Each structure stands twice: as structure tokens, then as C-alpha cells.
Amino acid sequence: MKNILVFITFLFVIHSFSQTTNKSVFVNFIENPIVLDANLNENEWKDSKGASGFWQYFPSDSTQAKQQASIKFLFDDKNLYIGAKVNAPDNKFITPSLRRDFRAGGSDNITFLFDTFNDGTNAFIFGTNPYGVKREMLLSGGGSELRGFTMAWDTKWQCKTEIKDDHYIIEMIIPLSAFKYREGETKWRFNSYHFDTQYNERNTWVNIPQNQFIFNLAYMGEMIFEKPLGKSKSPISIIPYVNAITAKDFENKTSITDLKFGGDAKFTIGNSMNLDITLNPDFSQVEVDQQITNLTRFEVSLPERRLFFIENSDLFADFGNNRDSNPFFSRRIGIAKDANDNTIENDIIAGVRLSGKVNNNLRVGLLTMQTAEDIENEIPTVNSAVITLQQKLFSRSNISFMIINKEATKEYDFLAEEDTYNRIIGMDYRLASEDNSWVGKYFIHKSFSPGIKNKDYSAGFSTQYFNRNFSARINGVYVGENYQSDLGFLRRTDIFKISPQIERTFWPNESKIQKHSFSITPIFIWKPELNFKNSDYAIISRWRANFINTAELTAEMKNRFTYLFSEFDPTGTDGAIPLPANKGYAYTNFNLSYRSDQRKNFSYRIEPSVGTFFNGKKYSLTTNLAWRIQPYFSGSMQINYDKVILPNPFPNASIWLIGPKIDITFNKSLFWSTFIQYSSQQENFGINTKLQWRFAPLSDLFIVYNDNYYSNNFAPRFKSLNLKLTYWLNI
């Protein structure tokens, strides 16, 4: 009890250190809708007082912006209206393409963040550039991590821009139904940032220190509505699809011709809850996953892009430790292992998901999905279900609870008892002080599987402190030997890992370097069931410099140790003699990385590396080249080369990964992209070419051609032609 009281006192002390802001902007109520023309000449705009007085975030965070923006808001019973003037030295703006959901870096744009529940944890984000290209996102985790962005989220809204000699005007109409908020609310937390490539400024309405991300939700002002917000009349969204595919699998000598129908439906319950339903979903990807070179012993996690899982995804996916002990990883649903332990697609019959806010402080998430049986491949029909609750604590922290269940809903002769079900219960506490100088996460989870009685826990802790010149972190994770998460992502079990970090940042005056920092990150892993034998360590020493022109230079040294408990071939060479088990290997490598100014038409990133590798040597070179003819053409080339030299009789390898990509945006509705990937490690040469026509808002026609070959002899592997039509209908 004494320890609990000390911990609670510690949390209150942390929350006593805070920064507040009294910046606010008034939002007038109007009776008549605004005409979307980017002129801002209506009397309603003239009578509105704007949000102004932007601060620099880059290159300095202590002066007013040289290129200011002024933002005005209006609202009626259906829509939020945004009008803004963004100043610039001239009209030579940078925009890489006309494709929706662009990234802010290296281009001119303005972004608006709305914390509609005033919790400092989640936000809706809308943005545009001088050419009127739209982007919208969800942000979770308080804006403390880059992975908090959900860029796959889409909603219907309107935007128009007009470019002038020394500024551009934007006008937006966003349906209130695009947001989630409490009926009767009179204020939202709000911030905005804009990038100016000519003056090389990044500016924010509310001043944000540079040791925090520009999108951090701890630093926001307020939007004060003239009258309480009413109940949003949210439409019912019906999103049917039809997918015609013809394919030939040369490896298995099979041909496929299929025509699938199905779709999704989205309902809003009240103003703040989402109900998502999917029937006979088509979870085939029109976007291909990017291949990587994997020289480790572990599986690699790839991001979720499927519509059904997107909104409020953090409610389900942010439990545990995303690298070592993530109990729910949605990409597990829709795939399964066949009788030969091969990973294959598993059809999903239907799914239902309810998620959102019950009130300003409580969020809930419920998910259930049923997958089809596949007797030929010995795959049972399975129900996957998740229940989560998240309660806000203090100003920006929260505590969450979850129950996860994966269970076969029929009995099968081929199904072993230990595979009939897997369940997890757990609790997570996420700490975020009001000014985000303290952040942390603490969790404990327990799994339940047939025949397992002990060592089935996972737990972790993380605490980090920031200020302008110094940051420190201490974290650790434990994964029991028998802990099992069939719907999660676990790299390995029976580990205890700690990974502290300390970093010192310097801010030179009148220098080409905007800031530079030194950090050291020791990472140690032990095996508890082997008398805490040290299985791995890495000590990463890093110097990083950010230049005024946005270029970045990094130099690092990595001292590593790996103990092999089973034999392992790091090259992945067929028939090669693997490195022997029950032996430890210490090795060191040196890395240099340089990223050029992304504002240029041609930019690049180059990363050479040299050093020892297990009992041999490794030389690596990673290069990313990018070229654009704005706004219609952009091209890129990824080249990874790894030369692994091991002593006889172990294998040597030259591993190549080459990935050129061409992206043409004919206009804001018609796009064509081609992605070519060559991987010597996976012995694959693949071509993915896709034509996308957005014939109506959020409604698309895709024509996708995939062609894969064995890279060693160029024999055909797999070919497919896919025509997919989706239509987003609001009722």
C-alpha cells in the first residue's frame, strides 16, 4: 500500500508541472450557408474575428512567424466553415503531386487540428495546400509519437483555394458529422500549423517548443462556439464494392477467376460512437506492401490499411509494447496457417465494430469477426472478438482495459486442443503530463490457452522526460515463456528487456546547423527461464544534426551481442550451413546517414554502413532517390545493398533490394502509379501498376496488374489482373 501511495503521489507531482494557454478564437453561428469560392467576401467572414499571431516552430521557436496566417471560423447546424489567408513571399509554391493525403514535409501547406473532446489525447486533422489538394487524418496518443497518425482515414468534405501573388486563400466546408463530439459542447481545443518552403518556416498558432512534435496535443488554444453544438445529423454511409479478378499461380499450377460482391456500412450512434459493419469483405490490397531486407531472426510488422479497422484503431491496437508484446494486431485477421504451415488468405464472413466516446472521459471499443472454415487446408471457422475500455485520468492520461478472444466455433478432427482458443485480459496506463514533459506507459496482460497454467504474463513500463536540452527514458518489458497472443504481434517469448536512453541537445546560434544532439541507448535482453542468461544486447551511440535547410546528418556506432539458441543463417541462402547454436557473437558496425533538402526537385537519402556481423563482416548501402516535376510527376528509387562475408564453411551473400516507383497525377481525380520491386533475398521480381479514377467523392475505380517472377531465372511466378469498384454513398 505504501508503494501504491508513493506512485500516486509521483503522478500528481508530474501533473503539477504544466503549461497553459489562453489563446482562443470565436466561432460565429450563421443562418445561411457559405458559397465555396475561396473569396471570403461574404459579410459573415468580414464580421468574424480570426485566429492570428503564429509563432515559428522551425528554425526557431521563440519568435513570431515572418509569414503569418489568419484563420476564421463559422458554423451552422450542418457544417464547420474555415476561411484562411496564408502569406508567402511570392507564389512559387511547392507541391509534390495532386494526390490526396500528402505528407507535410517539403511542401507548402496548412493543417488544422481539432480536439473535439478536449482530452489532449485524440484529434481530427484536416489540411490542404495552395493547389487545394486535401488531406485528413486521425491522431491518437496525444501527438507524442509519429505512429499516432492514421492517414488511411477518409471522410467527405469540400475545399477550394486561390493563389495570389504573395499569399493563398483557402475555404473549407467540413460537415459536423465528420467529427465526433458531445452534443451541447461550447468549445473545442484547436491548433494549426503551416509550412512555408520559401522562407523555410514551420509555424504554429500556439507556440510549441521544438523538443515536442509540431502536432503535439498538449499545446492548443480554444475554439469558442457562439452557441452550443447541436446533435449532428450524421449520414449512414454504405460502401459497396465489386471486385473482378483473374490470376494464375505458376508455382501451384492453378488459375483463379473470381467475382466478389460485398461492402461496408458506417453508422454514427449519437454524436460520438461509430458502428462499422462489413459483409463478405474484400480485404485484398490494391496497394502492395513494400518489401524489405530482413537479416534478423524475427517476423516484421507491416501497417494496417483496411477501411474497417481504421477509425478509433488506437482503442484496439495501442495496448502493450508495439515492438515486443502487442496483444492485438489486426492484420492477423483474414490470414491463417494451412496444413503445411504456410500463411494463406482466410475469407472473412462478416464483422461488426462499435467504437468511440461514451462521454468526454470514457471510450469503448467492441469488435467481432467471423472467418470461414477451409477444410481442405485444415483451417477452422474462428470468431475473433475484442472488448476495450479507456478512461481519461488527470488532464491527458488514461487507463485502459481489454479482453481479446480468438476461438474456433466448431469442432474438427484436425484441430488440436491447444489451438481451440486463446484469450488475453489486460490493463494499460498511459501517462501524459499537461505540457507533455513527462510521458509513460505501464501495462500487464495475461493470456489463457488450453493446458497453460503459468508463465503466461506480459508486462512493461516506460517513463520519459523531455526538456529543451535534455531527455531521458527508462523502459522495460517482460514476456513469459508461455504467454500467447494469436491475434497479436510477438517477436519472441521468455524475455526480460530494458532499454534506457539519455540524450543531450544543443542549439547553436548563427550556424548552418539548427540543432544537434548526442544520445546513447543501451538495450539488454535476458532469458528468465535460462537463469536470466543474456541473449542479446545493443549499445547505440548516436550523433544527429539538423540543418537550417532541413537536411539531416546522422552518425552512429552499434555494439551488438547475439546468443544463438538455435542454428541460424543470416543470409537466408538455400542449402547453406547455418551458424551453430549455443554460441554468442559480439560485433560492431558504424553507420552514416545523410538526407538532403526535401524542398528540392531532386532529393536523396544515403546510408552507408560497415562493420562486423556475427563471426564475419557486413557492408551495406541504402539509397533513396526522389525526383518530381510538380505537380504531375514524381519518381523514386530505393536501392538496398548488403554484402555479408562469413568465414568458411558458412555462406557469403550479396543481397539486393531495388524498388523504383513512378507516380503520375493527371489531376485530382485520376492517378497512375507503377511500383517495381526486385528482392534477391526473396528471389522475387514484381511489378504492380495501378490506375485509379476517383469518379465521385471517396469512390474509386481501380485497375491493378500484378506480375511476379523468380529473380534467379525470370520464370513466371504469379500474375493477376484486378478490377475493383467501390462507391461511397451517404444516405
Side-chain angles (χ1 to χ4, degrees), residues 156-217:
K156 288 186 177 182
W157 58 290
Q158 300 176 70
C159 176
K160 191 173 179 63
T161 63
E162 186 172 344
I163 296 175
K164 305 291 187 178
D165 288 339
D166 60 354
H167 66 276
Y168 60 97
I169 302 292
I170 71 166
E171 196 167 35
M172 295 179 176
I173 302 178
I174 306 175
L176 288 171
S177 60
F179 302 96
K180 300 294 181 290
Y181 58 90
R182 184 179 64 86
E183 182 181 356
E185 187 61 82
T186 58
K187 67 179 181 179
W188 293 351
R189 297 176 76 242
F190 164 76
N191 200 10
S192 174
Y193 58 83
H194 72 91
F195 287 23
D196 183 295
T197 61
Q198 298 165 71
Y199 257 63
N200 193 24
E201 281 188 319
R202 300 173 191 173
N203 304 318
T204 61
W205 181 52
V206 172
N207 188 211
I208 299 179
Q210 288 184 338
N211 62 291
Q212 304 287 346
F213 286 120
I214 196 171
F215 46 82
N216 194 284
L217 301 184

Side-chain angles (χ1 to χ4, degrees), residues 348-366:
I348 297 174
I349 300 170
V352 179
R353 197 173 73 120
L354 178 68
S355 61
K357 285 267 194 176
V358 176
N359 53 47
N360 273 19
N361 296 324
L362 178 63
R363 300 172 76 202
V364 301
L366 307 171

Side-chain angles (χ1 to χ4, degrees), residues 383-520:
N383 179 262
S384 300
V386 185
I387 301 173
T388 72
L389 298 172
Q390 184 186 92
Q391 175 68 38
K392 178 184 174 183
L393 297 176
F394 309 113
S395 59
R396 298 178 59 240
S397 302
N398 58 69
I399 188 168
S400 302
F401 303 89
M402 59 87 174
I403 301 174
I404 300 173
N405 183 62
K406 180 183 179 183
E407 186 167 2
T409 54
K410 287 175 62 177
E411 294 184 0
Y412 299 89
D413 293 337
F414 58 77
L415 188 64
E417 181 183 358
E418 60 266 24
D419 296 326
T420 54
Y421 69 85
N422 172 243
R423 298 172 186 135
I424 295 177
I425 61 171
M427 177 181 70
D428 287 42
Y429 174 74
R430 183 183 287 271
L431 165 70
S433 65
E434 192 167 354
D435 65 352
N436 212 63
S437 58
W438 289 90
V439 296
K441 191 174 187 182
Y442 317 89
F443 69 90
I444 182 167
H445 303 156
K446 185 183 189 308
S447 67
F448 300 85
S449 299
I452 303 298
K453 301 296 184 182
N454 53 27
K455 304 171 187 174
D456 50 5
Y457 288 88
S458 177
F461 64 92
S462 175
T463 305
Q464 188 167 2
Y465 171 76
F466 304 86
N467 66 27
R468 182 175 177 82
N469 301 316
F470 174 81
S471 70
R473 180 193 74 197
I474 177 68
N475 63 8
V477 62
Y478 164 77
V479 183
E481 183 180 33
N482 296 325
Y483 180 74
Q484 183 177 336
S485 179
D486 289 353
L487 289 177
F489 184 84
L490 301 178
R491 288 162 62 88
R492 51 184 163 175
T493 59
D494 187 30
I495 65 166
F496 176 65
K497 172 183 176 180
I498 62 168
S499 53
Q501 183 184 74
I502 187 168
E503 182 174 27
R504 176 69 165 91
T505 302
F506 301 87
W507 307 86
N509 295 320
E510 299 181 359
S511 170
K512 292 183 178 180
I513 296 179
Q514 183 251 348
K515 69 174 180 179
H516 65 104
S517 62
F518 294 92
S519 67
I520 184 166

Side-chain angles (χ1 to χ4, degrees), residues 709-721:
Y709 299 86
Y710 289 99
S711 59
N712 52 356
N713 58 9
F714 219 70
R717 197 171 194 169
F718 183 84
K719 296 178 187 285
S720 69
L721 179 64

Side-chain angles (χ1 to χ4, degrees), residues 55-65 207-210 468:
W55 288 82
Q56 273 192 6
Y57 172 81
F58 177 92
S60 168
D61 61 2
S62 58
T63 62
Q64 289 281 305
N207 188 211
I208 299 179
Q210 288 184 338
R468 182 175 177 82

